[in-house]
Structures are given as structure tokens and as C-alpha cells.
Amino acid sequence: MFVQRFSATRRGARLARLLALHQFDAWGLPYGSERSDNAAAVVAELAANAVLHGRVPGRDFELALSLPEPRALLIEVTDTLGEAAPPATAPTCPGPDQESGRGLLLVAALAADWGVRARTPAAPGKTVWARCPA
């Protein structure tokens, strides 16, 4: 299992993606492979959402990666803002003039499954997770 906290900044989101790629390679998903690139895109989107939509000043976000099954990679991004939860179902396609709203469509397309869960009452926030083929 890989768990790391990052600053809730664009730089933190980029570092999360880069370290995830390094971890994927260590687990046998080589750099540049389709599965590694797809999982990195999911990490990038969830980390960007944590920074843009789940940011609480002075609080970090957390990336957790694990291999719960031999052919599955679990990606979890936790932030501390519980009020701004993404939809629990597949998002709808935004209009052509909208500047945002495509990220979770990408996650839904690349991941076998994804969802959102609240943290415990003692720890505010939410975790957005995705299960990708490994």
C-alpha cells in the first residue's frame, strides 16, 4: 500500500500523479504502459478535483494506492471538504461551451468502478475512489 499526503495545490496534485506513476512501476505496471497511463490519468483527475473543489486552506489531501486483488488497483483521494461531494452516479456530459465537468467522465471511462464515501464524523471530508485494472 502507498499512502501520502500532499499540499492542496496544483504542485501537490502534479506530485501525486508523478509519485503514483513511480509506485505503479514498482508494482509491475511499467511507465508508458496503457494501464499505467490510464491509472495516472485517474490519479491526476481525482487529485485536481481535491485541489480545486475540496480544498480547505491549510489542509492537505491524501492519496492512497493499493492492490486489493491481483488484477485491481484501488486509487483513493481524500480531502477535508465534505460539502462539495461529486455525484454518486455517472456524471452527464457538459455542454460544448462549459469549461469544466469532464473530469469525472474521464474517471468513469477509465475505471472499472468508482464512488464517493464520507469520512468519519471525527474527520470531516470525503474520499473519492476508483478501481482500475492492474
Side-chain angles (χ1 to χ4, degrees), residues 75-79 115-119 125-129:
I75 300 166
E76 299 174 293
V77 175
T78 302
D79 64 54
V116 182
R117 69 175 180 271
R119 293 177 72 191
K126 65 191 167 302
T127 298
V128 182
W129 59 270

Side-chain angles (χ1 to χ4, degrees), residues 63-120:
L63 171 66
L65 305 171
S66 61
L67 292 167
E69 303 163 21
R71 305 289 297 162
L73 172 66
L74 181 61
I75 300 166
E76 299 174 293
V77 175
T78 302
D79 64 54
T80 54
L81 186 63
E83 301 88 45
T89 60
T92 59
C93 190
D97 295 336
Q98 290 181 302
E99 294 182 10
S100 64
R102 291 166 182 80
L104 287 177
L105 286 172
L106 178 69
V107 170
L110 295 175
D113 193 18
W114 71 278
V116 182
R117 69 175 180 271
R119 293 177 72 191
T120 63

Side-chain angles (χ1 to χ4, degrees), residues 37-82:
D37 289 347
N38 287 349
V42 170
V43 169
E45 183 53 42
L46 296 183
N49 282 352
V51 168
L52 293 173
H53 306 296
R55 182 175 185 272
V56 174
R59 302 244 175 121
D60 298 336
F61 73 92
E62 181 179 275
L63 171 66
L65 305 171
S66 61
L67 292 167
E69 303 163 21
R71 305 289 297 162
L73 172 66
L74 181 61
I75 300 166
E76 299 174 293
V77 175
T78 302
D79 64 54
T80 54
L81 186 63

Side-chain angles (χ1 to χ4, degrees), residues 15-58:
L15 183 58
R17 181 184 62 81
L18 291 172
L19 288 178
L21 278 168
H22 180 75
Q23 186 62 51
F24 299 155
D25 188 61
W27 284 340
L29 291 170
Y31 290 113
S33 68
E34 181 179 0
R35 290 184 177 187
S36 175
D37 289 347
N38 287 349
V42 170
V43 169
E45 183 53 42
L46 296 183
N49 282 352
V51 168
L52 293 173
H53 306 296
R55 182 175 185 272
V56 174

